Amino acid sequence: MADFDYDLFTIGAGSGGVRASRLASLSGAKTAVAEEYRPGGTCVIRGCVPKKFMVYASSFAKTFRQAQGYGWSLGEAQFDWPAFRDAMLGEVDRLSGIYAKNLANAGVELIEDRAELAGPHEIRLVKSGRTVTARNILIATGGVPNRPEGLAGAEHAITSNELFHLDTLPEHLVIAGGGYIACEFAQVFAGLGVKTCLIYRGDTVLRGFDDDVRAFVHEQLKESGVRVITHAVFTSIEPSAREGFYTVRLDTGDVLESDAVVLATGRDPYTAGLGLEAAGVEVLESGAIKVDAYSRTSVDHIYAVGDVTNRVNLTPVAIREAMAFVETVFRGRPTAYDHGDIASAVFTQPPVGSVGLSEADARRQHGKIDIYKSKFRPMKGMLTAKPDWMLMKLVVRAEDQVVVGVHIVGDDAPEIIQAVGIAVKAKLTKAQFDAACAVHPTVAEELVTMREKWVDPTLSAAE
Ligand code: NDP
């Protein structure tokens, strides 16, 4: 039998790669993981973690306003971007260090180098020039921001990668896209006092989410001071006469001037130069690595997890896929991760928490469904000049009354959806929701107190 340098070689030390490498090593496999940048991956270094710090930073603006309704008087609030940015990046450094330490503690060799496939079992380390061999290979290289093809002057735009490192807070920010990143950052920067404009090619942001959620978030974006231009795309970006500013032209004829232009138009699987052809690994038309339910690629001993496979591009999903991979390959228990009913959050302000099917998808999949929804003003805002609204919605399959979707927009929605996601994953019925006693006074009690089915006023009685 051939001898290999490693039982497992992982390419990419992000959430999926680190979890798989640690668990494989703890299962007795000789394991190495290569990382070309810093351990932690997108989530820790340039994604979820610093993004959430930015959401916290931005949300103080509203807290200060609300405080006045509760009798507080405050001086003029000032925001110091460099101080905040450095504190945030310091925490990112600390977490990246913890990832490296956890790998070492689990006995994984961390190779700080770019790794590329040189053959079915061979991996070339670019900086050192070494080639190593592995019995099994895991590709966990994640994704990279895409740049719309043919956009003139795209090089003048930045992406979410660079937003965390800005030298100064811009005066203006123009952001392209209407997905997670565009919506989250538009409100972050608007909250920090930046004049922000979001350009979306569709009519309502957050395509793929429940339509009520989309409409609610779209309105809230505008409420929070973001200028939203729909049915529009960038046609060019060029330096403007004003030092440090750019002129952004849209296909609608609109012309904008801004000192920060951001592309948040999706992310692509990161496979460039990875040597997939050399190893015989197939990719899909989308550029994602083709895998089966066990995360196995077209080559028997090469696996891939996380965003590079473009299944459900979320950190906890990459981690679950990694855990299933280790069960399958190193613990003799073939395990396919079940991608159903994954709860997720969008950290807009207020945030979204969502699990299961949207109303439209539920109708498509199940035919007759019952909807329960409530739009109300949470208690916290009632003493303030501008009370917030909150949306809660249950999507129930009529046939057996199983709750197949829950959608929430409002403060604490991500925290609430984590708990209610258990109930949806467990396929509980509306009656079982109702059997749970309310916790009072909370916003979440609405989930167990909605009794009246919502009747769509646009449908006739006969329908
Ligand atoms: P999304 O896929 O969420 O959104 C991309 C947006 O860009 C969509 O509105 C899309 O429009 C638009 N778009 C795509 N191509 C073009 C183009 N050529 N010109 C103009 N607009 C375009 O991607 P994001 O970049 O926002 O986020 C990437 C991924 O990162 C997400 O899918 C998510 O999985 C993950 N993420 C998760 C977060 C969380 O869990 N809270 C936070 C941030 C990111 P259209 O709707 O018409 O397709």
Side-chain angles (χ1 to χ4, degrees):
M1 199 151 80
D3 263 349
F4 297 100
D5 298 325
Y6 301 99
D7 298 316
L8 173 65
F9 195 100
T10 303
I11 307 181
S15 300
V18 166
R19 181 63 62 96
S21 301
R22 285 176 47 221
L23 295 183
S25 181
L26 292 171
S27 308
K30 186 177 180 206
T31 305
V33 57
E35 171 55 54
E36 65 179 0
Y37 187 52
R38 297 166 67 194
T42 298
C43 172
V44 172
I45 309 291
R46 56 184 103 73
C48 325
V49 170
K51 181 274 307 290
K52 193 149 181 203
F53 280 119
M54 288 181 75
V55 172
Y56 282 136
S58 161
S59 66
F60 279 102
K62 181 172 144 195
T63 306
F64 295 148
R65 280 197 304 275
Q66 286 184 324
Q68 292 170 31
Y70 281 82
W72 290 89
S73 47
L74 304 163
E76 202 197 329
Q78 299 288 332
F79 178 67
D80 182 341
W81 165 259
F84 160 69
R85 179 202 58 207
D86 293 349
M88 169 179 69
L89 296 178
E91 178 60 9
V92 166
D93 289 346
R94 190 184 74 83
L95 291 171
S96 178
I98 287 177
Y99 269 64
K101 207 162 91 192
N102 286 347
L103 284 167
N105 289 345
V108 178
E109 182 186 348
L110 171 62
I111 300 175
E112 295 184 66
D113 201 339
R114 176 174 168 80
E116 296 173 356
L117 298 172
H121 288 280
E122 291 78 39
I123 302 111
R124 189 176 42 246
L125 298 167
V126 174
K127 261 194 292 176
S128 74
R130 272 195 310 143
T131 296
V132 297
T133 59
R135 187 181 308 277
N136 297 287
I137 295 171
L138 178 67
I139 303 169
T141 49
V144 283
N146 80 17
R147 287 173 183 263
E149 259 175 53
L151 170 61
E155 69 276 12
H156 299 303
I158 57 173
T159 67
S160 55
N161 287 356
E162 293 82 30
L163 275 175
F164 303 110
H165 299 271
L166 295 172
D167 289 335
T168 53
L169 204 57
E171 215 176 281
H172 292 255
L173 186 137
V174 176
I175 188 161
Y180 284 81
I181 294 180
C183 294
E184 290 178 345
F185 278 110
Q187 281 183 317
V188 161
F189 282 94
L192 295 177
V194 176
K195 293 184 191 83
T196 304
C197 184
L198 181 143
I199 314 298
Y200 179 46
R201 66 182 178 181
D203 58 5
T204 311
V205 295
L206 291 185
R207 189 165 63 82
F209 281 80
D210 184 89
D211 286 343
D212 282 319
V213 168
R214 298 176 66 192
F216 193 102
V217 170
H218 199 94
E219 282 314 302
Q220 290 296 320
L221 275 168
K222 294 192 269 182
E223 274 288 307
S224 57
V226 176
R227 180 181 172 202
V228 181
I229 302 180
T230 54
H231 300 292
V233 292
F234 289 12
T235 51
S236 68
I237 308 166
E238 65 210 56
S240 77
R242 187 171 165 198
E243 174 82 29
F245 276 69
Y246 299 94
T247 302
V248 179
R249 293 180 200 283
L250 309 183
D251 63 347
T252 50
D254 287 291
V255 179
L256 307 162
E257 202 176 56
S258 179
D259 45 342
V261 182
V262 184
L263 297 174
T265 50
R267 293 173 61 84
D268 296 330
Y270 183 37
T271 59
L274 203 53
L276 296 178
E277 323 72 37
V281 174
E282 286 176 28
V283 293
L284 300 168
E285 211 176 309
S286 63
I289 294 181
K290 184 177 159 195
V291 287
D292 67 11
Y294 299 91
S295 298
R296 190 194 299 260
T297 68
S298 51
V299 179
D300 260 6
H301 61 275
I302 302 182
Y303 288 73
V305 295
D307 289 8
V308 77
T309 63
N310 195 28
R311 285 175 280 180
V312 179
N313 297 335
L314 298 169
T315 298
V317 175
I319 290 173
R320 289 303 179 96
E321 290 167 356
M323 290 161 70
F325 155 75
V326 173
E327 288 296 314
T328 302
V329 178
F330 297 103
R331 296 183 178 170
R333 288 188 291 259
T335 305
Y337 175 60
D338 165 16
H339 289 83
D341 295 329
I342 293 166
S344 71
V346 189
F347 291 94
T348 42
Q349 298 173 53
V352 177
S354 199
V355 62
L357 298 175
S358 66
E359 177 177 344
D361 285 343
R363 284 192 198 286
R364 266 191 294 274
Q365 283 187 30
H366 301 300
K368 194 161 172 4
I369 58 154
D370 298 334
I371 295 295
Y372 295 82
K373 65 180 167 187
S374 172
K375 196 171 167 194
F376 59 98
R377 293 178 184 276
M379 184 177 166
K380 187 177 176 189
M382 298 318 291
L383 303 188
T384 69
K386 208 168 154 205
D388 287 331
W389 285 97
M390 182 148 193
L391 171 77
M392 291 217 180
K393 178 168 177 179
L394 300 183
V395 181
V396 178
R397 186 163 58 203
E399 171 195 3
D400 55 7
Q401 290 296 296
V402 169
V403 179
V404 294
V406 178
H407 308 282
I408 307 173
V409 193
D411 285 347
D412 301 322
E415 305 292 338
I416 298 168
I417 211 72
Q418 176 66 83
V420 84
I422 300 169
V424 173
K425 186 88 184 167
K427 311 219 175 304
L428 298 192
T429 62
K430 175 71 167 63
Q432 287 169 311
F433 270 60
D434 294 347
C437 188
V439 178
H440 186 71
T442 64
V443 288
E445 66 184 299
E446 207 71 20
L447 288 171
V448 297
T449 55
M450 284 189 265
R451 294 286 182 266
E452 299 296 319
K453 274 185 222 168
W454 184 76
V455 182
D456 185 343
T458 61
L459 296 179
S460 72
E463 287 170 299

